[in-house]
Amino acid sequence: MSGGGPAELVSRLSGSVVFTDACDLLGYQRDCSAVRPGDADLAIRPRSTEEVQTALAAAYDERTPVYVRGGGSMYAGGVNPHAGGLVVDTAGMDRVLELNLERGVVVVEPGIRFGALLAYLAPHGQTVGIVPSTGPTATVGGAVSAHALGTGSPRHQSMGDTVAGVEVVLADGTRLRTGSATCEGAGFFQRYCIGPDLTGLFLGADASFGVITAIALWLYPAPAVRETVCLGLPDAARAGAFAAAVQAGELTHNVWYAAGYEGGSVRARVLAADPDFDAKSCPGFCMAMELGGDAEAVAAARARLVELAVHHDGGEFAAFDRAYFRRLRFDETFWYSFAGYFVPSRCAILMSSLPCDRLANFTGAVAALRTRYADFVWAGATVMCRRGLHGGVLAFYDERTQWDAIAPTLDDAADALIAAGCVPYKTGKQWAPQVRRFTAYTDVLARIKQALDPHGILAPGNLGLGAR
């Protein structure tokens, strides 16, 4: 921080809720990742876009680093204030700004939690396509800014595919609306309409190019029927072939969510629920799916998926549905219950994207990590999108005794995933060493960063562009 320092910045933020006490700032040190914490000089909780504009204009003048925080449940380290400075806490911006059922769009502030948004939409018979893996407590702004994996969705693909446009405040305080809302008075209804897609520039950028202050999401009718089905496959290779066949055959319309679990995880869950279950009857891989639609469509989708699983030497495996998957989906605890998110041990998560034909490579990498780093407990899971998969490698560790060891271990795990044909998902800081090797990509990002944020105040260190 240069210029007048924190005191000068506080004086310019007199209209906002400002935190400067060291105890208050403890909660802004980190997200839920294994990335080291940072120490902010101050934090604000704005209640409007105008307050964000004032804060960024002041930070720009004072050359103060700015990090943006939503629910703090991310696992990539993007919100950790490693350069100090100012944290913008969006919790105070949690309103629904517009519900337009004719256009099929809801516009919300970034701090609204998905649980609150789903509850607001339910009386209208509407829902959104993606809900993050952290479930109802995650904020919409955090999910969009980090391009959160969400539950992934064979029906809806990824978080960015559900966004119709955004309002964003740039580093100098300038306000920008993207897509159709760029045209004054037009509002949000079309993302791809004026030149290049500027919306995409801010999705997954972890606030490196601007602070998102409003998000327009596409709406979808809430399904009349929800049902889960778990399909056992002999191994990851045939599970990958099954997933590719589902996607190629366009059997994803009624599949709102699908996750893949390696055999070890399946056995652990099933035997925990029923110790007398015959472990030898557990499949080598399990594809678990949530179906949604009218009753006839759901029944037809289920029959076709089971038939396709049989074609790939598998079949229905109801024990995993009873022991785990049905409750996970219908209690809306989501994928993080598998990750051990709320258990005493810490869970470091490394996300990647991969084509279906690399699923066996992915599970092989997880198996190799178990052998190489036996001091940690490892797990692996995937979620299916309309095309391809997202794969999560999970390392459970004792933060008190293993903190120094987990970071280099995750770097090695990231290298192993790239060697297996996987691609980094979410840059933040967790993948920064690997992303910096993609020089053509990072050179372009650096040019955009220089143009939009010439003083480099926004989220220093994110996107693989700075020191970790």
Side-chain angles (χ1 to χ4, degrees):
M1 180 182 294
S2 60
E8 176 64 24
L9 192 59
V10 169
S11 71
R12 296 182 61 175
L13 300 176
S14 57
S16 299
V17 177
V18 181
F19 302 101
T20 57
D21 186 271
C23 290
D24 292 330
L25 295 176
L26 284 174
Y28 296 107
Q29 288 185 328
R30 63 180 297 187
D31 60 8
C32 293
S33 71
V35 178
R36 65 177 177 83
D39 290 304
D41 295 298
L42 70 163
I44 66 166
R45 186 172 292 163
R47 291 154 296 191
S48 67
T49 297
E50 290 73 22
E51 285 190 39
V52 175
Q53 288 181 277
T54 297
L56 261 64
Y60 187 83
D61 291 343
E62 299 294 325
R63 308 295 195 268
T64 301
V66 176
Y67 293 88
V68 183
R69 187 179 183 90
S73 57
M74 193 52 65
Y75 45 88
V79 304
N80 298 17
H82 291 144
L86 168 68
V87 172
V88 177
D89 177 357
T90 63
M93 299 177 66
D94 61 355
R95 297 176 299 163
V96 175
L97 299 175
E98 178 186 354
L99 176 65
N100 193 319
L101 297 177
E102 291 185 352
R103 293 185 177 188
V105 170
V106 61
V107 184
V108 299
E109 290 182 318
I112 192 170
R113 311 277 174 166
F114 275 89
L117 176 58
L118 294 176
Y120 174 87
L121 294 174
H124 302 280
Q126 300 292 304
T127 189
V128 291
I130 298 286
V131 175
S133 305
T134 38
T137 61
T139 64
V140 175
V144 170
S145 181
H147 199 262
L149 168 67
T151 52
S153 175
R155 176 184 172 101
H156 297 291
Q157 188 66 8
S158 295
M159 181 63 66
D161 298 282
T162 69
V163 177
V166 295
E167 176 185 83
V168 63
V169 177
L170 303 181
D172 62 358
T174 301
R175 188 186 104 168
L176 168 71
R177 285 192 160 196
T178 66
S180 58
T182 298
C183 185
E184 191 67 32
F188 292 105
F189 68 91
Q190 178 58 272
R191 174 168 164 178
Y192 306 98
C193 52
I194 304 176
D197 173 35
L198 289 186
T199 301
L201 185 63
F202 301 99
L203 306 183
D206 275 324
S208 291
F209 300 138
V211 178
I212 294 173
T213 52
I215 305 103
L217 297 173
W218 298 118
L219 293 172
Y220 303 94
V225 173
R226 293 175 64 192
E227 187 174 310
T228 56
V229 59
C230 292
L231 305 168
L233 285 304
D235 50 46
R238 275 172 282 194
F242 166 78
V246 170
Q247 294 168 341
E250 296 188 350
L251 304 181
T252 59
H253 182 70
N254 297 106
V255 184
W256 286 66
Y257 174 69
Y261 302 88
E262 56 175 346
S265 299
V266 173
R267 286 190 297 275
R269 284 291 182 181
V270 171
L271 293 176
D274 182 3
D276 296 326
F277 191 87
D278 181 9
K280 294 180 180 178
S281 66
C282 288
F285 201 94
C286 192
M287 295 297 300
M289 299 182 171
E290 179 192 334
L291 311 179
D294 61 49
E296 183 178 353
V298 167
R302 184 189 188 102
R304 293 183 71 185
L305 290 166
V306 172
E307 180 183 9
L308 191 59
V310 171
H311 180 72
H312 287 83
D313 303 320
E316 192 165 353
F317 186 61
F320 190 63
D321 195 25
R322 291 192 303 268
Y324 172 64
F325 188 69
R326 174 172 288 271
R327 182 175 179 181
L328 176 145
R329 293 307 299 168
F330 292 167
D331 287 358
E332 294 190 332
T333 50
F334 296 95
W335 192 57
Y336 266 57
S337 69
F338 168 78
Y341 190 77
F342 292 112
V343 299
S345 61
R346 273 279 179 180
C347 180
I349 307 178
L350 192 64
M351 289 303 309
S352 64
S353 298
L354 59 145
C356 294
D357 60 12
R358 299 295 176 90
L359 181 55
N361 294 20
F362 172 81
T363 58
V366 175
L369 289 167
R370 285 196 182 104
T371 300
R372 185 174 181 184
Y373 297 104
D375 289 342
F376 303 104
V377 177
W378 295 89
T382 60
V383 292
M384 183 194 301
C385 293
R386 200 163 55 241
R387 289 291 187 268
L389 305 168
H390 295 307
V393 173
L394 304 100
F396 297 89
Y397 68 102
D398 183 334
E399 190 162 270
R400 183 177 60 85
T401 61
Q402 296 178 309
W403 176 258
D404 290 336
I406 190 64
T409 300
L410 290 177
D411 280 345
D412 283 355
D415 289 339
L417 289 177
I418 290 177
C422 303
V423 178
Y425 188 90
K426 262 190 275 295
T427 49
K429 299 185 180 75
Q430 192 67 75
W431 279 97
Q434 288 72 31
V435 171
R436 282 196 288 268
R437 300 174 197 161
F438 309 155
T439 54
Y441 172 77
T442 53
D443 284 351
V444 171
L445 284 186
R447 293 183 207 173
I448 297 172
K449 175 74 169 171
Q450 176 62 30
L452 294 179
D453 182 17
H455 299 326
I457 67 166
L458 294 178
N462 285 0
L463 301 183
L465 296 178
R468 189 165 105 175

